Amino acid sequence: MLSKQDSNELDRGLTLMRKNLLSTDINELLIVNRYEQFSVDLVDAKTKNLIVGLPDKVVKDKVYDKERLQVICDRLHNLGYLNKANIKSVLNNNVIDSALKTAIENFQLDANLKIDGWIGDKTWLALQQLVTFEEPTKIHLWLNKSGQVNNALKRATQLRLYSLGLGDKPKLSPTAPALTLIKFRKVALTLFNGVEELNERQLLALLFDQDRMIQNLSLFSGNIHAPECRLEQQFIIAITKVELWLYGAESILPDANLIEQHKKYRAGARRRRKRVNVQLNVIEKSSLKINTSSFFYKALNSTWNKLLDKRVSEIKNKSSMYITTFPTFFKLLNELDEVDDRNLIQSLDAYVKKNKKNIKTIWKRAKNFASKLFDGIKRIGRMIKRFLGRVVDVTVEWLARPFYNLIVGIYKTLNTSIESTKEALSFLFSRYLKFKNNNAALAIKHNDADMNLFIDDQNASDVIDFSQKLLLLSKKLKAATKLISTFLTLLKSAFLALTGGWWAFFTACVNLYKDFPELINAITVLNEGNIIQLEQ
Amino acid sequence: MSLKEVITTAKGAIKDLTEIEVQTYTGQIEVAVDAIGTTDFAAILESAKATGNIKLCQVTKITIDGDAMNLVPDTAPPEHAAEAHKSALEAGQNVRSSMLELFKDLIEKY
């Protein structure tokens, strides 16, 4: 049975598991469900006084709580130390009377324990080992100095055989019954392998090891349907009931109790007697067919239903013909025991550790994901930066190119203007005008702008070309003189500013602003067409 | 052209800016071309006229107040010759305008 510490640990583990139920592993979910069911069963069993925690180490006022007192009394009674009437008295008054104290002392004496009339740790554990089926009993602890089985174990053996349908219930007696394992040896020889060579102590060890017997039964392959196997059949029914009881079917009464009830109610109502008789028939005759109104049948149905995924009719048939199929039942139970509840805490611990590993794995994955996400963001950042850089570059290029073109244009314009101005001025001061590659016309220019024009009347196209160039050059001359005039005005204004004040310079600039369209027009004319080259 | 020549040209130009006269000759212009660079251009020109190699075909004279005189022979000059004469006339006006612009301060003073 679990101690309080184990119980608390189990509760904590279950809470943790519930929190981590996000797991998709079906096996883990099954384990968790089973643990949860176990926890519920544990509470239920405590409520029904089917199990009791370990005794408190500190004895308070030599008084047991009521549940513990009930269990102590029941166990001492089952071992033949305490009368049932005494139990009733003790429970009603909730005190340790002399009968109970004597019973405890007798048990302690038989079990080679310190005799103090109090159920402390050692006495409690001794009762636990001898009476319950949960843990295998260590036989060597129950031997006298001479190596003989002590009286406590003799009583426990009788109780165990009674529970397994192989003997009578221990009676209230100051002396222990004789140790007789004849029936058990016979049953064991039929049902279990390798029993021939077991001595008495080994046989006792087998009797007090429920799991080992179940395992042996699961491997059985013989035939027990013959009438001479009635004892074996009885044993199988009884051990099945014990097993079902251990699995929670607490309503199943030990067979011998039915016998007692039968005796008790022998003179009772006919109907009740009939019902009891029917149940007794099941046990006494060890019929291969089981009564469908018994708790055993219902418990079997329920267990088959849990163990097998079969139709209802098939399950009922299996329960009714239980003996013929009994190895199957134990095989299934044995498989079920692969996940041993005794290792519950260890399993739970392993589960928690595994989940811790999972958490580490999840954290690792999360870190990887975050790292990738961060890389992605960085990459996007770099792309945006590159894109913005490109936008800036293009924008700068778009702005710079026109600016550059403007500067170049201005430079070219000014340059062309200067070249054109030079050419135009040379036209002003030349005596004759003759253009390169044109021999069809010639102009003799006088100082006052009068002209003598000589043309070749046979070459019309060249003459026209000459006249166009002449006209354009004169226009450029006009524009150039305008620019020069403006420049001279500025120069004069600057000179005046230096000598007479900045107001004059400002006025000149304002006047220049008025002439601005004219200046632009002059520059445009100067840049019109190619530079006309005069032949010197 | 030296500075002295420029000043002389400017003086001459200013002196007779009041009118423009353009004379257009047709014929073999090699005579005129050959005469370039000679000191007595007018004499060579007269000689050419006399030999009949060059013939005056149109004369136009425009005064500053806008009065104009245009002399043309009985036989109309070729179209390209008339076009060239017109361009030379306009060029002459532009030159005069340029001179006035260039020396306007001087003109304003005197």
Side-chain angles (χ1 to χ4, degrees):
Chain A
M1 200 56 60
L2 293 173
S3 67
K4 282 182 181 176
Q5 191 185 351
D6 286 346
S7 182
N8 290 337
E9 225 173 298
L10 177 65
D11 287 340
R12 278 201 300 277
L14 285 169
T15 309
L16 186 64
M17 282 198 294
R18 283 191 196 100
K19 285 179 183 173
N20 289 303
L21 265 176
L22 295 172
S23 170
T24 53
D25 189 333
I26 190 69
N27 291 327
E28 288 181 4
L29 287 175
L30 286 173
I31 291 170
V32 170
N33 288 340
R34 191 162 176 216
Y35 283 146
E36 283 195 315
Q37 186 57 46
F38 179 78
S39 180
V40 172
D41 291 345
L42 203 62
V43 173
D44 189 43
K46 279 181 183 174
T47 311
K48 293 176 180 174
N49 292 328
L50 294 170
I51 57 168
V52 185
L54 290 171
D56 298 330
K57 288 183 178 176
V58 180
V59 179
K60 293 177 182 175
D61 304 328
K62 292 283 183 183
V63 175
Y64 303 109
D65 58 57
K66 196 172 181 181
E67 291 77 17
R68 189 179 308 284
L69 198 58
Q70 169 86 60
V71 175
I72 289 167
C73 290
D74 285 347
R75 288 180 178 177
L76 288 172
H77 168 71
N78 287 334
L79 289 171
Y81 288 106
L82 192 62
N83 197 327
K84 218 157 194 179
N86 294 121
I87 295 175
K88 199 171 182 181
S89 168
V90 167
L91 293 177
N92 284 341
N93 301 321
N94 201 25
V95 291
I96 305 168
D97 61 7
S98 57
L100 177 58
K101 193 177 179 188
T102 304
I104 294 169
E105 286 173 350
N106 287 337
F107 173 70
Q108 288 173 331
L109 179 68
D110 287 350
N112 301 327
L113 295 166
K114 183 184 174 185
I115 302 168
D116 57 2
W118 174 254
I119 304 289
D121 281 357
K122 288 183 180 175
T123 310
W124 175 266
L125 287 172
L127 278 173
Q128 182 91 357
Q129 276 215 3
L130 291 174
V131 176
T132 65
F133 290 83
E134 283 125 11
E135 291 282 340
T137 304
K138 294 170 182 172
I139 301 300
H140 66 275
L141 296 176
W142 306 99
L143 302 177
N144 291 329
K145 290 179 181 174
S146 58
Q148 298 297 311
V149 174
N150 66 23
N151 289 335
L153 185 58
K154 283 178 183 172
R155 286 174 185 267
T157 304
Q158 192 180 6
L159 178 64
R160 185 69 55 128
L161 290 170
Y162 159 73
S163 301
L164 295 173
L166 300 177
D168 296 329
K169 187 178 180 181
K171 291 176 182 172
L172 181 65
S173 166
T175 55
L179 187 67
T180 168
L181 295 171
I182 298 167
K183 284 185 180 177
F184 180 63
R185 186 179 288 276
K186 178 185 180 300
V187 168
L189 281 168
T190 311
L191 298 174
F192 307 148
N193 290 326
V195 178
E196 299 87 353
E197 298 164 5
L198 296 182
N199 59 30
E200 185 183 69
R201 200 185 297 176
Q202 289 168 331
L203 205 59
L204 275 174
L206 179 62
L207 178 66
F208 280 88
D209 191 344
Q210 178 79 2
D211 290 342
R212 193 175 153 200
M213 287 195 289
I214 296 295
Q215 197 176 5
N216 275 317
L217 285 173
S218 71
L219 301 171
F220 180 73
S221 58
N223 185 355
I224 56 161
H225 302 153
E228 58 270 25
C229 290
R230 187 175 162 187
L231 197 62
E232 284 80 2
Q233 292 176 13
Q234 200 166 310
F235 171 79
I236 287 164
I237 296 285
I239 199 170
T240 304
K241 285 180 179 180
V242 170
E243 198 65 12
L244 289 175
W245 183 82
L246 288 171
Y247 275 93
E250 70 270 12
S251 297
I252 297 172
L253 297 172
D255 295 344
N257 270 6
L258 288 176
I259 299 167
E260 282 186 3
Q261 281 184 37
H262 171 64
K263 288 174 183 173
K264 192 173 180 180
Y265 295 105
R266 188 174 288 169
R270 184 174 293 175
R271 186 185 293 175
R272 178 181 288 177
R273 188 168 66 246
K274 188 180 176 185
R275 180 168 61 82
V276 174
N277 278 336
V278 169
Q279 290 185 352
L280 281 173
N281 283 341
V282 174
I283 298 150
E284 287 172 353
K285 294 179 183 176
S286 295
S287 167
L288 296 182
K289 191 168 182 179
I290 295 166
N291 189 288
T292 54
S293 64
S294 66
F295 285 119
F296 178 55
Y297 174 78
K298 288 173 186 171
L300 267 180
N301 269 352
S302 172
T303 311
W304 281 123
N305 200 31
K306 286 177 185 171
L307 296 176
L308 298 169
D309 184 18
K310 298 282 184 184
R311 287 180 302 171
V312 176
S313 58
E314 199 171 340
I315 285 170
K316 285 183 176 177
N317 187 43
K318 269 188 174 299
S319 297
S320 299
M321 305 298 289
Y322 173 70
I323 289 297
T324 56
T325 58
F326 86 90
T328 313
F329 181 82
F330 291 111
K331 277 175 191 167
L332 292 171
L333 286 184
N334 209 36
E335 286 171 11
L336 206 64
D337 280 340
E338 282 180 5
V339 181
D340 195 344
D341 286 342
R342 287 176 297 183
N343 296 324
L344 191 64
I345 303 301
Q346 289 89 334
S347 304
L348 199 59
D349 188 46
Y351 179 86
V352 172
K353 281 179 181 169
K354 189 181 174 187
N355 273 288
K356 278 183 184 172
K357 284 181 186 173
N358 286 344
I359 289 167
K360 281 182 185 172
T361 309
I362 290 166
W363 173 242
K364 199 175 174 184
R365 285 178 186 169
K367 272 205 305 186
N368 285 340
F369 175 74
S371 172
K372 284 178 184 172
L373 187 68
F374 184 62
D375 284 347
I377 290 169
K378 278 201 299 187
R379 204 167 292 142
I380 290 169
R382 281 200 295 270
M383 281 172 65
I384 291 171
K385 195 177 168 185
R386 211 177 299 140
F387 174 73
L388 288 177
R390 181 72 185 147
V391 167
V392 169
D393 289 348
V394 169
T395 308
V396 167
E397 196 178 346
W398 283 352
L399 290 173
R401 188 169 292 172
F403 183 72
Y404 170 77
N405 288 341
L406 180 68
I407 297 296
V408 169
I410 289 171
Y411 170 76
K412 281 182 179 174
T413 304
L414 287 175
N415 194 39
T416 309
S417 299
I418 290 166
E419 289 297 319
S420 295
T421 302
K422 277 164 60 182
E423 201 67 26
L425 287 175
S426 66
F427 166 50
L428 178 64
F429 299 109
S430 292
R431 284 190 60 211
Y432 63 95
L433 296 171
K434 186 175 183 302
F435 301 112
K436 281 185 178 175
N437 304 322
N438 191 323
N439 295 316
L442 170 72
I444 306 293
K445 190 173 75 60
H446 301 268
N447 292 334
D448 56 356
D450 293 345
M451 272 190 273
N452 292 336
L453 187 63
F454 299 90
I455 57 173
D456 184 350
D457 57 353
Q458 302 299 317
N459 196 346
S461 62
D462 276 7
V463 170
I464 290 171
D465 177 60
F466 174 85
S467 57
Q468 286 173 348
K469 283 181 176 174
L470 178 65
L471 190 60
L472 181 60
L473 192 60
S474 68
K475 284 181 182 176
K476 288 189 176 186
L477 174 65
K478 194 177 172 182
T481 51
K482 176 67 184 173
L483 285 176
I484 291 167
S485 169
T486 306
F487 177 72
L488 289 173
T489 306
L490 277 175
L491 206 62
K492 188 177 130 189
S493 302
F495 178 73
L496 288 173
L498 287 172
T499 56
W502 288 99
W503 179 246
F505 181 71
F506 176 73
T507 310
C509 288
V510 171
N511 290 332
L512 188 65
Y513 169 74
K514 286 178 187 170
D515 291 341
F516 189 72
E518 217 172 324
L519 288 171
I520 295 296
N521 185 48
I523 291 169
T524 309
V525 170
L526 283 171
N527 285 274
E528 199 176 304
N530 295 325
I531 293 171
I532 300 165
Q533 290 182 316
L534 289 165
E535 195 172 84
Q536 301 297 323
Chain B
M1 185 180 278
S2 65
L3 182 62
K4 190 178 179 181
E5 285 174 317
V6 171
I7 292 168
T8 308
T9 305
K11 276 182 180 175
I14 293 166
K15 189 180 175 183
D16 195 17
L17 280 175
T18 53
E19 61 176 35
I20 297 171
E21 184 180 345
V22 174
Q23 296 174 352
T24 301
Y25 299 87
T26 58
Q28 295 176 340
I29 69 162
E30 286 81 6
V31 179
V33 172
D34 291 342
I36 293 172
T38 59
T39 52
D40 194 359
F41 183 78
I44 294 168
L45 191 62
E46 286 303 319
S47 169
K49 283 180 188 174
T51 56
N53 290 330
I54 291 176
K55 189 171 65 181
L56 180 65
C57 71
Q58 194 170 355
V59 178
T60 302
K61 194 169 188 176
I62 300 172
T63 59
I64 200 164
D65 56 1
D67 291 340
M69 183 184 68
N70 192 24
L71 297 175
V72 289
D74 293 338
T75 54
E79 193 179 343
H80 65 274
E83 186 69 26
H85 180 80
K86 190 181 167 187
S87 296
L89 196 61
E90 196 176 336
Q93 286 176 317
N94 285 336
V95 170
R96 187 175 64 180
S97 176
S98 302
M99 285 180 169
L100 289 172
E101 178 69 38
L102 203 56
F103 304 113
K104 64 183 175 184
D105 285 349
L106 205 62
I107 294 166
E108 280 169 6
K109 278 190 177 178
Y110 301 97

